[in-house]
Amino acid sequence: MERVLIRHRTVEVNGISMHVAESGGAGEGEGNSKGTVLFLHGFPELWYSWRHQMEHLSARGYHCVAPDLRGYGGTTAPPEVESYTAFHIVGDVVALLDALDIPKVFLVGHDWGAIIAWYVCLFRPERVTALVNTSVAFMRGVMARTGPEFVNPTESFNRTYGPAFYMCRFQEPGGAAEARQFAPERARRLLRQILCHCFSHGVYCEEEMGDDKYPTSTLPPWLTEADVEFFGAEFERTGFTGAINYYRNLDRNCELAVAWADAKVQVPTKYVVGDGDITYHFDGIQEYIHGGGFKKDVPLLQEVVVIPGAGHFIQQEKAQEVSDHIYEFITKFSVN
């Protein structure tokens, strides 16, 4: 099969400049394609995380769009922490669709991109034909204040995992995380460590990721030196503050989304997770996913797929399998 060309452009949306990668379609809106697939990446990633799926789906007639989210890569990174709320990021997504003249999309998310995808489906479901979300399940207690007994996400994580947990460390004032482990000059080594080890099979992003404990001399088969260089060079250039600011808005997002405290996700949905993903081992999450709670919150949930042996970066680790799952699901709703 001929290799698919990925195009790049910058689009002005919601007061920022957004770098967008595209493949397939006519390049302007949906054209004669089967529809548009919008990919939302996670932390600490870029549009590049979806390279395999973009190639797979555009070769099968879909228009693929993968932006660098606000604060990442070639997209504007506002300096204010408050500029990274769910309202801002969902606003960016909707403004991007408007700018590209795309009324509805197939939405695919991973990690923070999955959280944003859940928010998009809550706030603006009329813009989504179907959703394939990976890694992070719908977690109402992390997304919206739900009542008088509600505990903010950061406090909940602190109680469960302790103050050294990476989401808790990110709350330290004065950019402490960026001054230490997440300093830009450490980006190449740090991205190598994260992609090889973090967020999978019980390994959180620890503050000290020494080679003696987490060796990176040999990359896993799904990751190349060129891949590591791409991620590392971009974060060396931009730093990590924009990415970390998403975590600094966890509690704020819950207050902003209080009006959706009881709302359900009314979009046809497929959920895919690796059995080694740390998000699949959060306290109580497997009972929620498989015990009926998830289906109650997402009534149009059609399938839950747990991929054996897969870790957190599932769309890269199990690229073909994830691509097939996306294609099999969205083709049910395609225009031709």
Side-chain angles (χ1 to χ4, degrees):
M1 182 181 295
E2 185 178 349
R3 192 164 186 83
V4 172
L5 175 67
I6 293 181
R7 309 180 299 274
H8 298 267
R9 58 169 151 166
T10 299
V11 182
E12 300 301 315
V13 299
N14 200 25
I16 64 171
S17 297
M18 176 171 278
H19 167 248
V20 179
E22 291 179 274
S23 63
E28 298 292 339
E30 292 184 358
N32 295 319
S33 73
K34 295 179 179 179
T36 297
V37 186
L38 177 64
F39 296 95
L40 304 180
H41 68 78
F43 171 90
E45 300 180 81
L46 300 160
W47 74 267
Y48 187 79
S49 301
W50 299 109
R51 59 199 180 280
H52 305 297
Q53 287 71 40
M54 294 178 72
E55 182 166 0
H56 184 89
L57 293 172
S58 58
R60 287 156 179 78
Y62 289 91
H63 173 215
C64 297
V65 178
D68 285 336
L69 294 179
R70 173 182 292 238
Y72 284 88
T75 295
T76 302
E80 306 86 3
V81 171
E82 298 82 4
S83 294
Y84 293 83
T85 71
F87 280 7
H88 287 86
I89 314 304
V90 172
D92 296 344
V93 170
V94 173
L96 175 62
L97 299 185
D98 289 344
L100 300 182
D101 195 25
I102 301 172
K104 299 186 76 169
V105 292
F106 300 108
L107 190 58
V108 181
H110 173 257
D111 187 76
W112 257 105
I115 296 175
I116 298 303
W118 292 124
Y119 277 125
V120 171
C121 291
L122 284 179
F123 300 164
R124 300 298 301 271
E126 78 281 2
R127 305 305 295 266
V128 183
T129 300
L131 169 69
V132 179
N133 242 358
T134 69
S135 183
V136 180
F138 183 80
M139 295 188 292
R140 192 178 300 278
V142 175
M143 298 177 64
R145 171 173 285 279
T146 54
E149 304 301 317
F150 178 77
V151 177
N152 281 332
T154 56
E155 177 59 26
S156 177
F157 285 124
N158 186 69
R159 292 180 186 179
T160 305
Y161 303 110
F165 185 59
Y166 71 101
M167 294 191 199
C168 300
R169 296 203 315 271
F170 287 170
Q171 309 305 318
E172 294 181 66
E178 299 96 303
R180 298 197 301 263
Q181 182 181 21
F182 284 84
E185 60 269 20
R186 301 186 64 181
R188 280 178 164 84
R189 181 182 181 278
L190 181 60
L191 264 296
R192 190 181 184 95
Q193 291 277 16
I194 288 175
L195 290 167
C196 287
H197 299 291
C198 284
F199 312 129
S200 299
H201 310 293
V203 179
Y204 295 106
C205 186
E206 299 180 15
E207 190 160 12
E208 296 299 330
M209 297 288 295
D211 282 323
D212 55 337
K213 187 175 180 181
Y214 302 112
T216 56
S217 54
T218 302
L219 295 178
W222 55 269
L223 191 65
T224 70
E225 291 290 349
D227 297 333
V228 174
E229 174 63 20
F230 187 94
F231 285 111
E234 276 294 273
F235 281 97
E236 184 177 76
R237 180 180 64 82
T238 66
F240 292 90
T241 297
I244 293 173
N245 280 342
Y246 284 63
Y247 293 93
R248 292 169 176 151
N249 280 280
L250 278 167
D251 295 347
R252 185 177 287 108
N253 286 341
C254 288
E255 302 299 331
L256 293 173
V258 66
W260 288 268
D262 299 317
K264 299 181 185 298
V265 176
Q266 300 288 357
V267 171
T269 300
K270 182 174 189 174
Y271 172 69
V272 182
V273 66
D275 68 353
D277 193 325
I278 60 166
T279 68
Y280 188 58
H281 295 273
F282 282 159
D283 188 43
I285 197 68
Q286 292 186 33
E287 180 182 356
Y288 169 75
I289 291 172
H290 302 293
F294 194 15
K295 178 69 173 178
K296 183 178 179 181
D297 285 336
V298 187
L300 300 183
L301 178 68
Q302 296 189 14
E303 188 176 2
V304 171
V305 178
V306 181
I307 298 181
H312 179 66
F313 298 101
I314 192 169
Q315 79 275 48
Q316 299 181 76
E317 294 180 45
K318 302 290 183 180
Q320 186 62 53
E321 196 166 348
V322 171
S323 296
D324 288 340
H325 278 300
I326 297 170
Y327 177 72
E328 182 274 336
F329 188 65
I330 68 174
T331 194
K332 301 176 184 178
F333 308 94
S334 300
V335 295
N336 54 36

